[in-house]
């Protein structure tokens, strides 16, 4: 490379998590050195541009950068490009495209960490509701010897088995998790998943035990579905009605989205780098690299705030994600983990379907009861507020209040504003004539107030701007929720 300092500076910025600065550097390489690139260097730079973009969650732009990297036929790190492109497509919701890229990577026997690709493949299939294919991918991720932590793949495999109406296989899969000494949060989640699987099998005693272990220290909160199954287990034990349900637990959007997050986690080196809005240097349109035209790369014109970044720098071998983990000779990879073939999805008997329908109806009824209680509480609150409002109305309270109307009336006099808005409908000429006799005031104080539901009597003491005080006797009438002036005249305290 003609000017390696620029490339190395960009590489250093990338390693430090400053993807904005790294992106500027790589664009500068394209802009200044494209015509002097050696074979393979253009592909490397475009690869690194794609990595910066994927870290900043510009997914579509990253895919385009990776596509341009493949134009350089001398650049050989093709599987890494396809793996990164697959993750970008997965994260942007282009699941079929992600599957195509991931399957292309799996054809490369030299790819060092296929478990990452299987995890991405499983989450893409799960989003497409192809649970058999998703389960097969997750099982492959779990048994891959290069996988330093198969737990997430196992949990997702269990979810697939539950969705395929195979709770017994889900139980065996979840049990396998314990052999990897998961952290506390994962342990609680595994217990909760086991509880749901045992409920589906009708073994409510074991289910209850699993749920209680999941929430034992108060740090884990059951999902809505798990809470419903927990209650089902307790009710079944109380009613002595435990029976197998062979539950078909459809995979919801939360589980599918979590699977994508798990794939990102297994694939990526997590960073949390804020990236401020910025414009980036644009490369020239024609770089003239051999017979290829890499074109004008469309970088987003406005930088977006970076989220938890992901994406692997597989183009630079010096940045590894995980230290190589030696295989544990005591661990039997794949032993005891059920396969996803022959799902038996359509083998449920009529009795099993009826039992499952009853369980679902019971869970829905319980959820409806909770909603009804909330609605009843809301109705009671509204009625109390309404009753309070009616009582206040009958006692002469209103909005605006008598005091507010009087104060605003005198302020309008001071500012030559429209005073008629504070009076009931009447002759505006007469109202103006009355108010012309009222001088400007520096302060108005209510000294007497008598009120009922429809009328009110006010004595106001006004301090004149020129000095001295004047008392006014004001009669007010109800105007919808508030009050308006009906009459105003000078009042002499001696008249009391």
């Amino acid at each position: 490379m003609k000017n390696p300092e620029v490339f190395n500076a960009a590489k250093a910025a990338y390693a430090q998590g400053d993807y904005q600065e790294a992106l500027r550097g790589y664009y500068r390489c394209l802009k200044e050195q494209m015509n002097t690139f050696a074979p393979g260097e253009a592909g490397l730079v475009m690869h690194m541009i794609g990595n910066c973009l994927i870290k900043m969650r510009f997914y579509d732009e990253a895919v385009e950068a990776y596509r341009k990297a493949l134009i350089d036929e001398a650049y050989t790190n093709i599987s890494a490009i396809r793996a990164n492109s697959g993750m970008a497509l997965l994260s942007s919701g282009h699941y079929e495209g992600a599957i195509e890229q991931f399957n292309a990577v799996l054809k490369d026997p030299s790819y060092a960490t296929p478990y990452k690709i299987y995890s991405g493949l499983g989450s893409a299939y799960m989003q497409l509701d192809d649970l058999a294919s998703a389960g097969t991918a997750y099982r492959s991720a779990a048994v891959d010897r290069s996988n330093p932590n198969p737990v997430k793949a196992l949990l997702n495999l269990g979810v697939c088995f539950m969705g395929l109406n195979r709770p017994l296989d889900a139980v065996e899969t979840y049990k396998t998790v314990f052999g990897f000494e998961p952290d506390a949060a994962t342990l609680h989640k595994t217990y909760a998943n086991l509880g749901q699987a045992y409920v589906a099998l009708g073994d409510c005693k074991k289910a209850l035990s699993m749920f209680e272990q999941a929430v034992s220290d108060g740090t884990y909160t059951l999902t809505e579905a798990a809470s419903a199954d927990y209650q089902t287990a307790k009710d079944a034990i109380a009613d002595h009605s435990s029976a197998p349900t062979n539950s078909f637990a459809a995979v919801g959007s939360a589980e599918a989205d979590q699977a994508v997050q798990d794939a990102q986690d297994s694939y990526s080196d997590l960073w949390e780098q804020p990236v401020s809005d910025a414009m980036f240097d644009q490369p020239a349109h024609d770089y003239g690299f051999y017979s290829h035209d890499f074109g004008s790369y469309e970088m987003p014109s406005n930088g977006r705030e970076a989220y938890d970044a992901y994406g692997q720098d597989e183009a630079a071998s010096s940045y590894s994600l995980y230290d190589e983990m030696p295989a544990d000779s005591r661990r039997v990879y794949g032993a005891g983990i059920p396969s996803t073939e022959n799902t038996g999805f359509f083998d449920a008997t009529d009795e099993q379907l009826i039992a499952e329908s009853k369980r679902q109806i019971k869970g829905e009824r319980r959820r409806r009861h909770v909603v009804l209680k909330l609605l009843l509480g809301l109705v009671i609150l509204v009625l109390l507020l309404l009753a309070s409002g009616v009582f206040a109305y009958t006692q002469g309270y209103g909005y605006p209040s008598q005091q507010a109307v009087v104060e605003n009336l005198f302020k309008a006099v001071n500012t030559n504003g429209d005073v008629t808005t504070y009076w009931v409908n009447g002759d505006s000429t007469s109202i103006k004539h009355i108010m012309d006799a009222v001088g400007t005031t520096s302060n108005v104080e209510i000294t007497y107030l008598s009120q009922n539901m429809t009328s009110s009597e006010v004595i106001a003491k006004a301090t004149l701007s020129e000095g001295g005080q004047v008392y006014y006797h004001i009669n007010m009438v109800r105007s919808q929720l508030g009050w308006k002036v009906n009459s105003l005249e000078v009042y002499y305290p001696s008249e009391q």
Side-chain angles (χ1 to χ4, degrees), residues 109-168:
S110 66
Y111 191 79
T113 53
Y115 75 90
K116 300 175 184 178
I117 306 305
Y118 284 123
S119 294
L121 197 60
S123 61
Y125 279 125
M126 188 180 287
Q127 289 284 356
L128 295 174
D129 205 27
D130 185 351
L131 298 184
S133 297
T136 299
Y138 282 126
R139 189 181 189 280
S140 297
V143 302
D144 182 1
R145 287 180 176 271
S146 67
N147 190 347
N149 184 13
V151 168
K152 289 183 178 179
L154 290 169
L155 289 174
N156 283 318
L157 175 58
V159 170
C160 292
F161 278 133
M162 289 295 289
L164 291 167
N165 201 21
R166 294 173 58 182
L168 183 58

Side-chain angles (χ1 to χ4, degrees), residues 404-454:
V405 172
V406 170
E407 290 175 349
N408 289 332
L409 175 65
F410 281 89
K411 286 179 182 178
V413 172
N414 291 343
T415 60
N416 293 320
D418 183 10
V419 297
T420 60
T421 58
Y422 304 103
W423 284 70
V424 295
N425 294 332
D427 181 20
S428 60
T429 302
S430 299
I431 294 172
K432 188 176 185 305
H433 178 73
I434 294 172
M435 297 307 301
D436 283 344
V438 176
T440 59
T441 57
S442 60
N443 184 58
V444 176
E445 178 185 351
I446 304 297
T447 62
Y448 175 78
L449 174 62
S450 173
Q451 59 189 30
N452 58 39
M453 184 169 70
T454 59

